[in-house]
Amino acid sequence: PTRRSSDLITILPDPGYAEYVKLIKSHPNKYFPKISDMRVLKIHNSDYYVYLIEKLKTIPEYIRNTYSRAINQIISNPDRSINNLFPEGVPEVITRNSDLVAALKLIRSYARHTGYSIDLHGENIMEREDGTLVITDPYSFYHDSKKIGTQTPF
């Protein structure tokens, strides 16, 4: 693929992110980053994943921490209704991004299927120039093979 000036090259030794890229490719979603290419490099018998990913903006810390709390509440309680999760009122980040809940449930379901733990914190929530939220890296580096397939296969 041709590299655009709006793309970044990222190199990570993170198999959790490689799993997220599989989810992104199989279930495109506006809340997932746009990745146009992925390669694997072998360096000293270790896999390093090279991605061509869209350039995103950092969200100010006080805002992303608020977003992170709301998002983690949803991921931790996927079967509860939004109004039940937030009895004092649904956070603005959720009301402005109505499809976000479905994307978060997909992330959780895939984590259960692959055995990766959710590691979603403020630094893993960014935005595009148009203001769309993007979940950049929701899975931990390591996975628990005992957790694989604890939910209906994906």
Side-chain angles (χ1 to χ4, degrees), residues 32-57:
F32 298 162
K34 294 175 185 165
I35 297 175
S36 54
D37 196 16
M38 177 181 130
R39 307 286 168 100
V40 179
L41 295 176
K42 279 271 194 213
I43 302 174
H44 302 292
N45 294 323
S46 295
D47 288 340
Y48 284 80
Y49 304 89
V50 182
Y51 306 97
L52 189 57
I53 186 170
E54 71 179 305
K55 189 173 183 179
L56 299 167
K57 294 184 345 180

Side-chain angles (χ1 to χ4, degrees), residues 41-88:
L41 295 176
K42 279 271 194 213
I43 302 174
H44 302 292
N45 294 323
S46 295
D47 288 340
Y48 284 80
Y49 304 89
V50 182
Y51 306 97
L52 189 57
I53 186 170
E54 71 179 305
K55 189 173 183 179
L56 299 167
K57 294 184 345 180
T58 302
I59 298 172
E61 186 174 357
Y62 71 95
I63 295 173
R64 72 175 181 236
N65 289 339
T66 301
Y67 289 180
S68 180
R69 282 191 294 279
I71 286 169
N72 278 302
Q73 185 75 336
I74 293 167
I75 283 187
S76 299
N77 303 284
D79 299 324
R80 291 180 60 192
S81 75
I82 295 300
N83 290 331
N84 192 332
L85 283 174
F86 305 104
E88 299 86 35

Side-chain angles (χ1 to χ4, degrees), residues 1-10 36-37 51-55:
T2 304
R3 185 176 184 272
R4 301 171 306 213
S5 63
S6 60
D7 290 335
L8 296 174
I9 296 173
T10 304
S36 54
D37 196 16
Y51 306 97
L52 189 57
I53 186 170
E54 71 179 305
K55 189 173 183 179

Side-chain angles (χ1 to χ4, degrees), residues 91-110:
E92 183 182 347
V93 65
I94 305 303
T95 58
R96 280 189 300 116
N97 298 282
S98 58
D99 299 338
L100 180 60
V101 174
L104 294 172
K105 288 183 178 186
L106 184 61
I107 287 169
R108 178 169 173 89
S109 175
Y110 195 76

Side-chain angles (χ1 to χ4, degrees), residues 12-25 35 38-40 47-51 110 114 116 136-141:
L12 297 170
D14 185 346
Y17 197 80
E19 282 299 325
Y20 186 44
V21 171
K22 289 179 188 175
L23 174 65
I24 291 167
K25 295 290 187 187
I35 297 175
M38 177 181 130
R39 307 286 168 100
V40 179
D47 288 340
Y48 284 80
Y49 304 89
V50 182
Y51 306 97
Y110 195 76
T114 60
Y116 282 90
T136 60
D137 186 10
Y139 300 126
S140 65
F141 183 85

